[in-house]
């Protein structure tokens, strides 16, 4: 069951709000202080990806972020873009990163996945159960008070 | 914190001091400023990330874009960063092997790649 659910229109300005809420709930859930920067970055990356996909496909649907602290701190970022996403695209090698032919958007996408994969030990990217879309699911341990 | 941008000149280098949060919302302003600098004829840009509190993939994409733009113009692009949280981001993305990253503005403007962190 979600502790907090946030839905926002796919505009870049709202990604910061999602980060702030995600970190506030993480702190409240008991995620270690030293992990909060990583939580902030990972939620931001997942939301940035969702916003970019909605804009790319002209979707006005809301992006949803669900935060739950039942056993661990679980964050699900859900988009509705009609793509088959996976976490397969990870680290781009340095010579490719600096290559002239790589567009800024492609680089940002690759780097975004590298950050997600690098900062989140427990990460899953999978299709949503109903309709088109992807769920990025991230889990962090909590210290019980 | 909102993005802040300020430029100053050190010898032949233009230092762009960036502060606050660089993310999907604010990165276009950083891109715009960097493009303005290159288009105005600046050929050595040092981006000082000392005041940056948050940097995401969009911001990294803008920095790589600026570096490529300067490379085409036979210019020089470097970063100043000493914050471990940001350096970790560069390491994880392998961008520490793409950018010359210096610990201080003095080291960056001295121009010796030997003093780069990467």
């Amino acid at each position: 069951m979600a502790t907090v659910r946030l839905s926002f229109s796919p505009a870049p300005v709202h990604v910061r709000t999602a980060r702030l809420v995600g970190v506030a709930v993480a702190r409240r859930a008991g995620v270690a202080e030293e992990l909060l920067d990583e939580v902030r970055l990972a939620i931001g990356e997942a939301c940035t990806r969702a916003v970019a996909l909605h804009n790319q496909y002209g979707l006005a649907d809301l992006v949803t972020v669900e935060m739950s602290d039942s056993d661990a701190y679980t964050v699900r970022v859900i988009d509705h873009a009609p793509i088959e996403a996976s976490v397969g695209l990870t680290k781009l090698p340095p010579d490719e990163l600096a290559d002239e032919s790589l567009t800024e958007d492609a680089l940002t996408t690759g780097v975004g996945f590298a950050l997600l994969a690098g900062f989140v030990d427990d990460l899953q990217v999978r299709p949503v159960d109903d309709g088109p879309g992807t769920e990025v699911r991230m889990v962090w341990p909590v210290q019980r008070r | 914190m909102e993005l802040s941008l300020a430029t100053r000149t050190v010898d032949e280098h233009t230092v762009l001091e960036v502060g606050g949060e660089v993310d999907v919302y604010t990165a276009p302003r950083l891109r715009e400023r960097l493009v303005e600098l290159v288009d105005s004829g600046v050929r050595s840009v040092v981006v000082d990330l000392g005041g940056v509190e948050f940097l995401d993939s969009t911001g990294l994409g803008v920095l790589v874009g600026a570096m490529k733009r300067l490379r085409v113009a036979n210019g020089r692009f470097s970063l100043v960063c000493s914050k471990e949280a940001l350096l970790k981001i560069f390491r994880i993305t392998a961008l520490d092997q793409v950018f010359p990253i210096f610990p201080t503005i003095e080291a960056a403007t001295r121009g010796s790649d030997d003093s780069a962190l990467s």
Side-chain angles (χ1 to χ4, degrees):
Chain A
M1 197 178 104
T3 306
V4 175
R5 174 186 285 175
L6 168 75
S7 291
F8 61 91
S9 56
V13 68
H14 300 314
V15 171
R16 181 169 190 259
T17 305
R19 287 200 307 266
L20 292 172
V21 173
V23 169
V25 179
R27 185 174 277 125
R28 174 78 193 137
V31 174
E33 199 69 26
E34 61 268 23
L35 291 179
L36 294 181
D37 277 347
E38 303 182 4
V39 171
R40 177 181 294 113
L41 186 68
I43 294 175
E45 290 299 338
C47 290
T48 295
R49 174 188 171 280
V51 167
L53 284 170
H54 278 217
N55 289 331
Q56 187 182 332
Y57 287 92
L59 302 172
D61 307 52
L62 302 179
V63 171
T64 300
V65 186
E66 288 184 0
M67 294 148 267
S68 159
D69 66 353
S70 48
D71 294 314
Y73 181 53
T74 303
V75 180
R76 297 162 66 221
V77 177
I78 300 154
D79 68 70
H80 302 288
I83 61 159
E84 284 185 29
S86 77
V87 78
L89 180 62
T90 53
K91 208 170 196 171
L92 293 167
D95 53 341
E96 252 179 68
L97 288 167
D99 194 277
E100 300 301 335
S101 62
L102 188 69
T103 66
E104 192 177 305
D105 281 350
L107 181 133
T108 300
T109 303
V111 165
F113 266 121
L115 289 174
L116 275 175
F119 278 118
V120 187
D121 291 338
D122 189 344
L123 171 72
Q124 287 180 32
V125 182
R126 61 187 183 196
V128 295
D129 293 335
D130 302 313
T134 307
E135 169 189 312
V136 177
R137 183 175 176 275
M138 303 167 280
V139 183
W140 288 273
V142 296
Q143 301 164 331
R144 286 293 167 207
R145 286 146 290 164
Chain B
M1 192 182 129
E2 262 297 317
L3 178 74
S4 67
L5 300 170
T7 48
R8 63 190 173 96
T9 305
V10 178
D11 301 329
E12 74 274 24
H13 312 280
T14 296
V15 177
L16 176 60
E17 294 173 347
V18 186
E21 299 191 338
V22 187
D23 72 354
V24 64
Y25 179 57
T26 61
R29 279 178 51 211
L30 175 62
R31 180 191 300 113
E32 202 174 297
R33 180 66 67 89
L34 285 164
V35 169
E36 276 172 13
L37 289 175
V38 179
D39 286 353
S40 71
V42 169
R43 288 298 171 262
S44 175
V45 175
V46 177
V47 177
D48 178 6
L49 301 174
V52 170
E53 293 161 3
F54 181 83
L55 177 66
D56 77 356
S57 58
T58 327
L60 293 169
V62 167
L63 294 175
V64 173
M67 186 192 71
K68 289 179 182 175
R69 199 167 280 118
L70 267 169
R71 193 166 57 191
V72 168
N74 289 320
R76 183 169 178 274
F77 182 85
S78 53
L79 299 177
V80 173
C81 179
S82 57
K83 283 185 181 172
E84 177 49 33
L86 294 184
L87 291 171
K88 187 173 179 183
I89 288 172
F90 287 108
R91 282 198 301 273
I92 281 179
T93 55
L95 286 170
D96 61 336
Q97 296 166 59
V98 172
F99 293 119
I101 304 177
F102 297 87
T104 63
I105 292 172
E106 290 68 30
T109 53
R110 206 162 47 229
S112 164
D113 281 345
D114 295 342
S115 56
L117 294 172
S118 56

Short mmCIF file of all heavy atoms in Angstrom, two decimals, chain A residues 96-124:
data_model
loop_
_atom_site.label_atom_id
_atom_site.label_comp_id
_atom_site.label_asym_id
_atom_site.label_seq_id
_atom_site.Cartn_x
_atom_site.Cartn_y
_atom_site.Cartn_z
N GLU A 96 32.36 6.87 -26.51
CA GLU A 96 31.03 7.12 -27.10
C GLU A 96 30.40 8.37 -26.53
O GLU A 96 29.71 9.12 -27.21
CB GLU A 96 30.11 5.92 -26.81
CG GLU A 96 29.82 5.08 -28.04
CD GLU A 96 28.93 3.91 -27.71
OE1 GLU A 96 27.76 4.13 -27.39
OE2 GLU A 96 29.45 2.78 -27.75
N LEU A 97 30.62 8.60 -25.22
CA LEU A 97 30.07 9.79 -24.57
C LEU A 97 30.58 11.06 -25.25
O LEU A 97 29.87 12.05 -25.37
CB LEU A 97 30.46 9.82 -23.09
CG LEU A 97 29.76 8.80 -22.18
CD1 LEU A 97 30.47 8.72 -20.84
CD2 LEU A 97 28.31 9.19 -21.98
N ALA A 98 31.84 11.02 -25.66
CA ALA A 98 32.45 12.21 -26.23
C ALA A 98 32.29 12.28 -27.75
O ALA A 98 32.71 13.24 -28.38
CB ALA A 98 33.94 12.24 -25.87
N ASP A 99 31.64 11.25 -28.32
CA ASP A 99 31.52 11.20 -29.77
C ASP A 99 30.55 12.26 -30.30
O ASP A 99 29.49 12.49 -29.71
CB ASP A 99 31.03 9.80 -30.19
CG ASP A 99 31.19 9.58 -31.68
OD1 ASP A 99 30.32 10.01 -32.45
OD2 ASP A 99 32.22 9.00 -32.04
N GLU A 100 30.95 12.89 -31.39
CA GLU A 100 30.15 13.99 -31.94
C GLU A 100 28.75 13.52 -32.38
O GLU A 100 27.80 14.29 -32.36
CB GLU A 100 30.85 14.61 -33.16
CG GLU A 100 32.21 15.19 -32.88
CD GLU A 100 32.21 16.27 -31.83
OE1 GLU A 100 31.16 16.91 -31.65
OE2 GLU A 100 33.24 16.46 -31.17
N SER A 101 28.66 12.25 -32.81
CA SER A 101 27.39 11.79 -33.38
C SER A 101 26.33 11.51 -32.31
O SER A 101 25.15 11.37 -32.61
CB SER A 101 27.63 10.53 -34.21
OG SER A 101 28.11 9.51 -33.37
N LEU A 102 26.73 11.42 -31.05
CA LEU A 102 25.77 11.14 -29.98
C LEU A 102 25.02 12.43 -29.63
O LEU A 102 25.64 13.42 -29.24
CB LEU A 102 26.50 10.60 -28.75
CG LEU A 102 25.61 10.08 -27.62
CD1 LEU A 102 24.90 8.79 -28.02
CD2 LEU A 102 26.45 9.83 -26.37
N THR A 103 23.70 12.41 -29.79
CA THR A 103 22.94 13.63 -29.50
C THR A 103 22.87 13.86 -27.99
O THR A 103 23.06 12.93 -27.20
CB THR A 103 21.49 13.53 -30.03
OG1 THR A 103 20.82 12.50 -29.29
CG2 THR A 103 21.47 13.21 -31.51
N GLU A 104 22.56 15.11 -27.64
CA GLU A 104 22.47 15.43 -26.21
C GLU A 104 21.36 14.63 -25.54
O GLU A 104 21.51 14.17 -24.41
CB GLU A 104 22.24 16.94 -26.04
CG GLU A 104 22.43 17.40 -24.61
CD GLU A 104 22.27 18.91 -24.47
OE1 GLU A 104 22.97 19.65 -25.17
OE2 GLU A 104 21.45 19.34 -23.65
N ASP A 105 20.23 14.44 -26.25
CA ASP A 105 19.12 13.67 -25.67
C ASP A 105 19.53 12.22 -25.43
O ASP A 105 19.22 11.64 -24.39
CB ASP A 105 17.90 13.71 -26.62
CG ASP A 105 17.14 15.01 -26.50
OD1 ASP A 105 17.44 15.79 -25.57
OD2 ASP A 105 16.25 15.26 -27.34
N ALA A 106 20.22 11.63 -26.43
CA ALA A 106 20.64 10.23 -26.28
C ALA A 106 21.64 10.10 -25.15
O ALA A 106 21.59 9.16 -24.35
CB ALA A 106 21.25 9.73 -27.59
N LEU A 107 22.53 11.08 -25.05
CA LEU A 107 23.53 11.04 -23.98
C LEU A 107 22.85 11.16 -22.62
O LEU A 107 23.15 10.42 -21.68
CB LEU A 107 24.53 12.19 -24.17
CG LEU A 107 25.63 12.22 -23.12
CD1 LEU A 107 26.98 12.39 -23.77
CD2 LEU A 107 25.41 13.31 -22.10
N THR A 108 21.89 12.09 -22.53
CA THR A 108 21.19 12.29 -21.26
C THR A 108 20.46 11.02 -20.84
O THR A 108 20.48 10.64 -19.67
CB THR A 108 20.19 13.46 -21.40
OG1 THR A 108 20.95 14.64 -21.73
CG2 THR A 108 19.45 13.72 -20.10
N THR A 109 19.82 10.35 -21.81
CA THR A 109 19.12 9.11 -21.50
C THR A 109 20.08 8.04 -20.99
O THR A 109 19.84 7.39 -19.96
CB THR A 109 18.40 8.57 -22.77
OG1 THR A 109 17.52 9.59 -23.25
CG2 THR A 109 17.59 7.32 -22.46
N GLY A 110 21.19 7.87 -21.69
CA GLY A 110 22.18 6.87 -21.29
C GLY A 110 22.77 7.17 -19.92
O GLY A 110 22.90 6.30 -19.06
N VAL A 111 23.10 8.44 -19.72
CA VAL A 111 23.68 8.86 -18.45
C VAL A 111 22.65 8.71 -17.32
O VAL A 111 22.98 8.31 -16.20
CB VAL A 111 24.19 10.32 -18.56
CG1 VAL A 111 24.47 10.92 -17.20
CG2 VAL A 111 25.46 10.36 -19.41
N GLY A 112 21.39 9.01 -17.63
CA GLY A 112 20.33 8.87 -16.63
C GLY A 112 20.19 7.44 -16.15
O GLY A 112 20.09 7.17 -14.95
N PHE A 113 20.23 6.50 -17.10
CA PHE A 113 20.16 5.08 -16.72
C PHE A 113 21.40 4.66 -15.95
O PHE A 113 21.33 3.87 -15.01
CB PHE A 113 19.97 4.20 -17.95
CG PHE A 113 18.54 3.88 -18.24
CD1 PHE A 113 17.96 4.22 -19.44
CD2 PHE A 113 17.76 3.24 -17.29
CE1 PHE A 113 16.63 3.95 -19.70
CE2 PHE A 113 16.43 2.95 -17.54
CZ PHE A 113 15.86 3.31 -18.75
N ALA A 114 22.55 5.18 -16.36
CA ALA A 114 23.79 4.84 -15.64
C ALA A 114 23.70 5.31 -14.19
O ALA A 114 24.12 4.61 -13.27
CB ALA A 114 24.99 5.48 -16.34
N LEU A 115 23.11 6.47 -13.98
CA LEU A 115 22.97 6.99 -12.61
C LEU A 115 21.99 6.14 -11.81
O LEU A 115 22.24 5.81 -10.65
CB LEU A 115 22.52 8.45 -12.63
CG LEU A 115 23.57 9.46 -13.10
CD1 LEU A 115 22.97 10.85 -13.23
CD2 LEU A 115 24.74 9.50 -12.13
N LEU A 116 20.87 5.78 -12.44
CA LEU A 116 19.90 4.93 -11.74
C LEU A 116 20.55 3.60 -11.34
O LEU A 116 20.46 3.16 -10.20
CB LEU A 116 18.70 4.65 -12.65
CG LEU A 116 17.59 5.69 -12.68
CD1 LEU A 116 16.55 5.32 -13.72
CD2 LEU A 116 16.92 5.82 -11.31
N ALA A 117 21.20 2.98 -12.33
CA ALA A 117 21.81 1.68 -12.07
C ALA A 117 22.96 1.79 -11.06
O ALA A 117 23.19 0.89 -10.26
CB ALA A 117 22.31 1.07 -13.38
N GLY A 118 23.66 2.93 -11.11
CA GLY A 118 24.81 3.11 -10.22
C GLY A 118 24.41 3.43 -8.78
O GLY A 118 25.12 3.07 -7.84
N PHE A 119 23.30 4.10 -8.62
CA PHE A 119 22.93 4.57 -7.28
C PHE A 119 21.88 3.69 -6.59
O PHE A 119 21.70 3.80 -5.38
CB PHE A 119 22.42 6.01 -7.34
CG PHE A 119 23.52 7.03 -7.36
CD1 PHE A 119 23.70 7.89 -8.43
CD2 PHE A 119 24.38 7.14 -6.28
CE1 PHE A 119 24.72 8.82 -8.44
CE2 PHE A 119 25.40 8.07 -6.27
CZ PHE A 119 25.57 8.92 -7.36
N VAL A 120 21.16 2.87 -7.37
CA VAL A 120 20.09 2.07 -6.76
C VAL A 120 20.46 0.59 -6.86
O VAL A 120 20.51 0.03 -7.94
CB VAL A 120 18.74 2.32 -7.48
CG1 VAL A 120 17.62 1.61 -6.73
CG2 VAL A 120 18.44 3.81 -7.58
N ASP A 121 20.71 -0.03 -5.72
CA ASP A 121 21.07 -1.45 -5.72
C ASP A 121 19.89 -2.31 -6.15
O ASP A 121 20.05 -3.29 -6.86
CB ASP A 121 21.51 -1.89 -4.31
CG ASP A 121 22.84 -1.25 -3.94
OD1 ASP A 121 23.58 -0.87 -4.87
OD2 ASP A 121 23.12 -1.13 -2.74
N ASP A 122 18.71 -1.94 -5.68
CA ASP A 122 17.51 -2.73 -5.97
C ASP A 122 16.64 -1.93 -6.95
O ASP A 122 15.83 -1.11 -6.55
CB ASP A 122 16.76 -3.01 -4.66
CG ASP A 122 15.63 -4.00 -4.85
OD1 ASP A 122 15.23 -4.24 -6.00
OD2 ASP A 122 15.13 -4.52 -3.84
N LEU A 123 16.86 -2.17 -8.23
CA LEU A 123 16.19 -1.40 -9.29
C LEU A 123 15.53 -2.34 -10.28
O LEU A 123 16.13 -3.31 -10.72
CB LEU A 123 17.24 -0.54 -10.03
CG LEU A 123 16.79 0.18 -11.30
CD1 LEU A 123 15.87 1.35 -10.97
CD2 LEU A 123 18.01 0.68 -12.08
N GLN A 124 14.27 -2.05 -10.60
CA GLN A 124 13.58 -2.82 -11.65
C GLN A 124 12.89 -1.85 -12.59
O GLN A 124 12.29 -0.87 -12.14
CB GLN A 124 12.50 -3.72 -11.03
CG GLN A 124 13.05 -4.91 -10.28
CD GLN A 124 11.92 -5.75 -9.69
OE1 GLN A 124 10.84 -5.83 -10.27
NE2 GLN A 124 12.18 -6.33 -8.56
#
